[in-house]
Amino acid sequence: MQVTITARHSDIPDGLKERAGAVLGRLAKLASRPTSAQVTFGMDHQRATAEIILKAARGAVHVASADAPDHRKALDRASSKLRRQLDKRESSRRRRAAAGAGEG
């Protein structure tokens, strides 16, 4: 999986880049066949922002963004939003599989 971490209008310490890579690794395990992931850090009206884009198989794209007083907290909030999206997709996939198995 290709991982890209960028920053707009701010500098990001190496520790935060490593943390973003670890977060993406955990989120990639929840997605079905992830192909690429991107984290973009920025500053918007004195608030730190983080946006995560995770692309998976069959053209599935999951996007989550959040803002907070600091970049670390913004990353945590965005990853929580993306985790909810992935959990929701996985549970609906399980429901469809269970319904299809009962019809056969």
Side-chain angles (χ1 to χ4, degrees):
M1 179 175 77
Q2 179 183 1
V3 175
T4 307
I5 300 171
T6 58
R8 276 190 252 148
H9 309 295
S10 62
D11 293 324
I12 302 299
D14 291 334
L16 185 59
K17 289 180 184 179
E18 291 172 7
R19 180 170 173 75
V23 166
L24 288 177
R26 287 193 303 267
L27 290 172
K29 290 179 183 178
L30 298 174
S32 64
R33 298 186 324 228
T35 57
S36 67
Q38 179 179 358
V39 177
T40 305
F41 293 104
M43 291 296 290
D44 188 26
H45 301 289
Q46 303 302 322
R47 301 235 346 137
T49 61
E51 180 182 47
I52 303 172
I53 301 172
L54 181 66
K55 295 182 180 179
R58 297 185 179 195
V61 179
H62 304 282
V63 179
S65 61
D67 62 347
D70 61 358
H71 284 109
R72 183 181 173 124
K73 195 167 285 202
L75 176 65
D76 291 342
R77 288 179 182 174
S79 67
S80 294
K81 289 179 180 183
L82 194 64
R83 180 179 298 270
R84 279 193 297 270
Q85 287 180 24
L86 293 170
D87 288 343
K88 191 176 189 180
R89 182 176 172 87
E90 185 64 29
S91 67
S92 67
R93 189 179 327 158
R94 285 188 192 138
R95 270 195 310 265
R96 284 194 306 266
E103 293 175 4

